[in-house]
Amino acid sequence: MFCPKCGQQNPDDAKFCGYCGFSLISSETPEATNYSQQPVAAPTTDNSQQQGYDQTAYYNQQATGQTVDYNQQATGQTADYSQQNADYSQQNANYSQQNANYSQQNANYSQQPAQNTGYSQQAAAPKQPIPKKYMIAGIIGAAALVLILCISCIAIFSSRRTVNLNKFVVVETSGYEGYGEANVYVDWVAVEQKYGKRLKFTRKAKKELGILYKVTSPVAYIKDAVSVELVASDNLSNGDTIEYRWNVDEDYIKKYVKGKVKFKDKEYKVEGLEEVGTFDAFADLDVSFEGIAPDGRVVLDYKGSDLNSYDFHCETMNGLSNGDTVTVTIPSDDMGSYAERLGKIPAETEKDYEVSGLDEYVASYIDLPDDFINKIKGDAEDTILANFANDDSASVGDLEYAGYAYLTRKEDAYGNAYNIIYIIYRGRVSSSDNRFTAGTVYFPVGFTDILKNDEGVNYSESTGILGNSYVDGKYSTRGYVNPINAYIDIVESNRENYDAECADGFERYEAYEHIESIADIADDYKETLKADALDRIKSYIASDYEEEVSVGEISFKGEYLLVAKDLGTDFAQNNVYYLVFAATVSHSEGEFDTTTVYYPVRYNGVVMLPDDEYMVSSCEGIVGSSDFSDGWYDTRGYIEGTKMYDDLVTANRESYKYEVSDGLKEFGE
């Protein structure tokens, strides 16, 4: 049987409802129905019948009121709670609505009038106790409802403190198609606005921060533990897919913040980049060349407004020759900056230019035109003649061309000039006052940096006459008495840095042989030197002896040869060759006794050239000095043969080996 009041099922023989206490005995009394809607007075003790009815009605109304109040209170709390959290969980809102509907249903049941009012005049039946099984079911239901509410609350509060970082990522792209750039960052201002009041500090954070935790946001600590970066961020085109990746220290966040973060690496599709035009970057670039080939250099001068000269680069700026090709470039990896700054990019990033217009070093003598050779020969003669123009004691004559030496600097070698040409002349240097015996001198005149261009060939400067020598051991002059010394100074001493070519006679001084014995000197050259020595002796006697002094026949006495124990390129020191002549000297008035005088003439550095040609480095003339018996007159040479031997040979045995010819051995061997 179902209760007409509360709708609950009861046993068929029940007289009262086990849930609400309503009488289940059927009654048709209208008064009962009408009475049930009247206000129910509080039970009294005066009328038993009235008391019974009033107790029943009071109990029903009280129970109904409690149910209504409880359901309305529960419904209001649930509705309020659901409304408060409607933004975070639709599921909980639905659940609250169900509770409200359920409460409203109970309220409706409570407001219905009693059906069995026919028994209103009867005493109310005593309240039946609620069956135990229904009470257990109610308790379990209530516990389940509380558990569901707790879980929902936990879920709602947990979701309120979880920051989804991906919702706050900002990816920005800028630039032009093909050269775009991207940037990624987290909008921490938005994070602070939404979660600043929801997140709290942990006890550890509060302990470390002290009072400062009240003015510091937990979002700041999350920010310290979070970074995001792009895998690729430049040279982007529309449609490219780029990925951003998170780097999050979740342990740090957990240590200081009551809250969580969630994140996921994601991809981003590039769009919105502008199309870019092109322009000729080299149109306003002036490329020129200066200097001397093969050491020319390139000069870049930009006259436009879009770029500047520093934007252009040439890998080979120096060491250029006419006909070379140089490549001028601009940075190809800087297109994005061009596009951003100019709204356009260079159509090409490199361009080739041919080197031209440079003065060019002449690499070889054979490349010199005849008119240039004739010019420098004339310039060389002028230099030699000018050297003697202001010298009153010496002059030069019989100048003749004796060859050339052309030097070219080796690659990566050191040298002040790239090339040098020496024009060699030889001439006879003599004394106008007979202070020295005339001799042949070689004059190398140097010209540096021989250049050719569209106007012809010329040199940079003249270095003048190379070398210094003594003529007759007395007169110092520019040039070389021995051309081999000239060859050594010009060619041999520069072999490390220069290649040399010699010709027109000067090349023959490349090959030579040291003289190490008297037999090495050819007889005809000996005769040449003897004639030279005799002339020097006669010249001396004619100029230095008085008229009262007479000299008998001058005869050849013998030879000394001293050879250096250590031979080198200083030929004047390699050997010394003495030719000794003798003559009787007397005074017409008997001022001194008739005496034999020995005249040794010294030649330094005798060498043999190809084709059996000989020469000496220098001649010092007659050596030695002696006094005649009276002590008033003296002469060059030696009166005592042993003294001559000691001075010329014995005194030099430490550095020289020696050889004495038969005619002089009587004074020492």
Side-chain angles (χ1 to χ4, degrees), residues 362-390:
V362 179
S364 175
Y365 181 87
I366 196 173
D367 296 327
L368 298 175
D370 292 340
D371 59 346
F372 176 75
I373 294 174
N374 293 332
K375 178 183 184 306
I376 60 175
K377 283 182 178 180
D379 291 346
E381 289 188 51
D382 292 340
T383 300
I384 297 168
L385 293 174
N387 182 70
F388 289 92
N390 298 319

Side-chain angles (χ1 to χ4, degrees), residues 170-371:
V170 179
V171 180
E172 296 178 341
T173 57
S174 61
Y176 293 83
E177 174 72 19
Y179 308 101
E181 296 182 351
N183 181 42
V184 63
Y185 63 91
V186 178
D187 186 353
W188 293 107
V189 173
V191 176
E192 178 69 35
Q193 290 176 347
K194 184 168 183 178
Y195 291 95
K197 295 182 179 180
R198 300 181 187 179
L199 300 174
K200 304 297 180 182
F201 282 113
T202 62
R203 290 183 179 179
K204 182 175 182 61
K206 292 180 179 180
K207 183 178 181 181
E208 290 185 5
L209 288 172
I211 192 64
L212 293 178
Y213 88 89
K214 294 184 177 181
V215 294
T216 305
S217 171
V219 174
Y221 275 71
I222 296 178
K223 180 179 178 180
D224 290 341
V226 174
S227 65
V228 62
E229 61 182 359
L230 292 171
V231 176
S233 61
D234 54 9
N235 294 328
L236 302 175
S237 299
N238 290 321
D240 287 350
T241 299
I242 55 178
E243 180 183 4
Y244 63 83
R245 294 179 180 175
W246 293 98
N247 182 19
V248 180
D249 188 347
E250 296 185 78
D251 292 336
Y252 180 87
I253 296 173
K254 182 178 180 181
K255 181 178 179 181
Y256 292 101
V257 180
K258 291 181 179 180
K260 297 180 180 180
V261 294
K262 66 178 181 178
F263 52 89
K264 183 178 181 181
D265 296 342
K266 289 190 176 183
E267 293 181 342
Y268 176 84
K269 188 175 182 180
V270 178
E271 58 185 14
L273 299 178
E274 298 182 35
E275 295 292 334
V276 63
T278 61
F279 70 102
D280 184 359
F282 299 91
D284 296 318
L285 178 67
D286 182 18
V287 180
S288 60
F289 304 94
E290 62 182 27
I292 302 171
D295 291 329
R297 57 188 176 275
V298 63
V299 178
L300 305 177
D301 183 18
Y302 184 74
K303 300 182 181 301
S305 59
D306 291 335
L307 307 174
N308 59 62
S309 296
Y310 297 106
D311 288 318
F312 297 89
H313 173 72
C314 183
E315 183 174 353
T316 307
M317 295 291 293
N318 303 291
L320 302 175
S321 298
N322 291 320
D324 289 347
T325 299
V326 296
T327 301
V328 180
T329 63
I330 58 176
S332 58
D333 57 352
D334 205 21
M335 292 300 175
S337 66
Y338 295 136
E340 181 177 354
R341 180 164 53 93
L342 304 174
K344 54 186 177 180
I345 62 173
E348 55 184 359
T349 58
E350 64 179 42
K351 188 174 182 179
D352 293 336
Y353 296 86
E354 183 177 348
V355 180
S356 62
L358 294 175
D359 286 346
E360 186 172 353
Y361 288 111
V362 179
S364 175
Y365 181 87
I366 196 173
D367 296 327
L368 298 175
D370 292 340
D371 59 346

